[in-house]
Amino acid sequence: MSVHEPSFTVDAGVEVPVPGAGEVWTVGAVILDRNGAAFAQKRSADRRLFPDTWDIVGGHVEAGETLLEALAREVEEETGWHLRRVRRFLGTTTWTGDDGGGLRHEADYLVEVEGDLDDPALEWSKHSAYGWFGREDLVRLKENVRPGEFLIHDLVARAVETLPDAS
């Protein structure tokens, strides 16, 4: 159990899977702006895993971390923003990358953050661009991925499609 008091809130009913012994877990954050567009960052072309593709904020859960602690850490490391609210559990995906890292379980969440959404502090050694993706922009999330490898597109689409219209 964590000794840290979280600096974010978690909405009632948000599921948090419990990793099994020996399992490798990652977390992902679909971050929305005030208009309901989702943040994504483009992985650098020289990345071994999923090069030159759009990705949500996230990464591996470190030893001793809960999934939500890892989520908060990854949001801050990759954007400079602070996790404020975990709104909804978007599901768990199991996948194997082409990096030799083996099977991973990924828990994804719809979240809200604090910080200047117009000026993320990206890790430029790992990412080459960022953007905000509304319903009309989702097809761009399929750039540079092989047919059928639409995990990020489908995840973001599920998050933004279930939101009420911004009007």
Side-chain angles (χ1 to χ4, degrees):
M1 185 165 160
S2 173
V3 296
H4 300 101
E5 190 66 31
S7 58
F8 53 87
T9 61
V10 180
D11 286 8
V14 171
E15 182 181 337
V16 182
V18 178
E23 292 179 339
V24 176
W25 278 77
T26 62
V27 291
V30 175
I31 299 168
L32 300 178
D33 70 6
R34 57 201 150 277
N35 299 316
F39 179 81
Q41 49 196 354
K42 195 165 214 180
R43 296 173 65 85
S44 298
D46 61 354
R47 298 285 298 270
R48 173 130 170 79
L49 189 62
F50 309 119
D52 205 30
T53 60
W54 289 102
D55 199 3
I56 59 173
V57 172
H60 284 86
V61 178
E62 295 178 356
E65 278 185 320
T66 67
L67 296 182
L68 296 183
E69 288 170 341
L71 190 68
R73 177 183 50 76
E74 289 290 348
V75 165
E76 187 167 353
E77 285 178 1
E78 293 189 11
T79 65
W81 302 327
H82 298 280
L83 182 62
R84 179 177 50 142
R85 177 181 171 203
V86 180
R87 291 178 53 177
R88 189 166 34 125
F89 177 60
L90 296 172
T92 302
T93 305
T94 301
W95 55 274
T96 302
D98 58 2
D99 64 345
L103 186 69
R104 295 170 177 94
H105 305 275
E106 180 171 328
D108 295 305
Y109 294 89
L110 178 64
V111 305
E112 294 176 8
V113 298
E114 293 177 346
D116 183 352
L117 299 184
D118 294 325
D119 190 24
L122 272 97
E123 295 177 288
W124 290 108
S125 63
K126 296 180 181 181
H127 299 98
S128 60
Y130 71 90
W132 292 94
F133 296 81
R135 290 178 174 114
E136 66 283 351
D137 305 307
L138 294 177
V139 71
R140 288 181 46 220
L141 294 172
K142 293 182 179 181
E143 291 174 357
N144 301 323
V145 296
R146 294 185 291 240
E149 293 184 350
F150 301 140
L151 172 66
I152 298 303
H153 169 275
D154 294 351
L155 181 65
V156 171
R158 208 165 55 244
V160 300
E161 295 289 330
T162 59
L163 295 173
D165 286 325
S167 54

